[in-house]
């Protein structure tokens, strides 16, 4: 199992699948192995296989928050947003400070046009992890969706205060500034984004 995890970390996913599958053959009730097999399958864009592996992991170990979160991510990638919401809520019931699950749940709420709930998820993630850049980016995008451009700009500036080389934040700041009718400032942000990520 762990050799398979290492193979995946080295980018050798065919070998990872073989090794983890062998571990599962030897010990079918090892929930962690099913979860890690799902991660490798998802990396290889085999979403149905990944979903099946994650489902097996949570069936074997219902309190496995990471597996619930991974299942939610695979379902989200498969476009099954309502099912993904349920998985993330299960993960968060088990581990309320699971910031990745909070962010991913916020992303699903954005997909479902439930922006207020998305904002709540991102803000809660930031209460647990105040320097979680992804939560800032997605919170800014959601404020922009809601037409709250000043708040979006404030969020992007906040993340750039501690992560000044974050090209995506400069780009998103530029977009919000442009929407607000500030093309000169927007141009500076876009140029900065391009200088960081040509």
């Amino acid at each position: 199992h762990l050799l398979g995890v290492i193979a995946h970390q080295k980018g050798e996913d065919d070998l990872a699948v073989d090794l983890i599958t062998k571990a599962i053959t030897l010990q079918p009730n090892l929930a962690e192995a099913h979860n890690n097999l799902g991660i490798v399958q998802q990396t290889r864009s085999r979403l149905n296989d990944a979903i099946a592996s994650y489902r097996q992991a949570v069936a074997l170990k219902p309190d496995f928050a990471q597996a619930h979160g991974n299942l939610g991510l695979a379902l989200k990638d498969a476009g099954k947003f309502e099912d993904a919401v349920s998985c993330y809520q299960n993960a968060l019931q088990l581990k309320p400070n699971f910031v990745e699950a909070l962010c991913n749940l916020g992303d699903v709420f954005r997909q479902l046009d439930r922006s207020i709930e998305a904002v709540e998820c991102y803000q809660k993630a930031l209460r647990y992890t105040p320097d979680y850049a992804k939560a800032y980016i997605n919170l800014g995008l959601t404020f922009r969706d809601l037409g709250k451009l000043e708040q979006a700009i404030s969020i992007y500036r906040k993340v750039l205060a501690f992560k000044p080389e974050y090209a995506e934040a400069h780009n998103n700041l530029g977009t919000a500034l442009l929407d607000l009718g500030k093309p000169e400032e927007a141009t500076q942000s876009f140029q900065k984004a391009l200088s960081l990520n040509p």
Side-chain angles (χ1 to χ4, degrees):
H1 169 218
L2 295 178
L3 282 171
V5 171
I6 291 167
H8 171 62
Q9 291 169 347
K10 291 169 60 180
E12 299 172 6
D13 287 336
D14 290 339
L15 178 60
V17 168
D18 291 344
L19 290 166
I20 298 173
T21 301
K22 185 174 182 180
I24 289 169
T25 302
L26 296 168
Q27 194 172 343
N29 294 331
L30 187 61
E32 290 79 4
H34 289 281
N35 180 63
N36 287 328
L37 179 59
I39 291 169
V40 179
Q41 291 165 328
Q42 192 165 353
T43 300
R44 301 171 82 200
S45 300
R46 292 172 47 190
L47 283 180
N48 290 335
D49 292 338
I51 289 167
S53 292
Y54 296 138
R55 286 195 194 283
Q56 186 63 29
V58 297
L60 290 167
K61 191 175 176 183
D63 63 347
F64 194 173
Q66 187 69 48
H68 284 284
N70 288 341
L71 177 56
L73 190 57
L75 289 165
K76 179 185 130 204
D77 289 350
K80 299 177 180 179
F81 300 124
E82 294 294 348
D83 292 339
V85 167
S86 176
C87 291
Y88 289 131
Q89 288 171 335
N90 289 338
L92 290 163
Q93 197 166 24
L94 294 163
K95 186 179 173 185
N97 64 343
F98 190 171
V99 293
E100 293 86 357
L102 280 165
C103 258
N104 289 332
L105 178 57
D107 294 348
V108 174
F109 282 144
R110 277 190 73 222
Q111 290 285 339
L112 294 169
D113 292 322
R114 292 163 62 178
S115 297
I116 301 302
E117 290 163 287
V119 167
E120 289 170 5
C121 288
Y122 301 134
Q123 288 176 331
K124 189 180 277 190
L126 288 167
R127 280 196 293 276
Y128 288 118
T129 308
D131 61 350
Y132 191 34
K134 182 186 175 200
Y136 279 106
I137 289 294
N138 293 349
L139 179 58
L141 288 170
T142 310
F143 280 139
R144 187 167 170 250
D145 294 343
L146 291 165
K148 297 181 176 184
L149 297 175
E150 294 284 2
Q151 285 175 275
I153 289 166
S154 172
I155 290 295
Y156 295 134
R157 289 193 168 134
K158 220 178 256 191
V159 73
L160 288 168
F162 68 86
K163 197 169 180 182
E165 305 301 303
Y166 197 180
E168 186 179 355
H170 285 286
N171 179 66
N172 291 2
L173 174 59
T175 303
L177 287 164
L178 193 60
D179 289 349
L180 200 60
K182 298 184 175 181
E184 295 83 7
E185 290 180 58
T187 300
Q188 291 173 2
S189 292
F190 292 138
Q191 287 172 337
K192 182 66 177 176
L194 285 168
S195 73
L196 292 167
N197 185 356

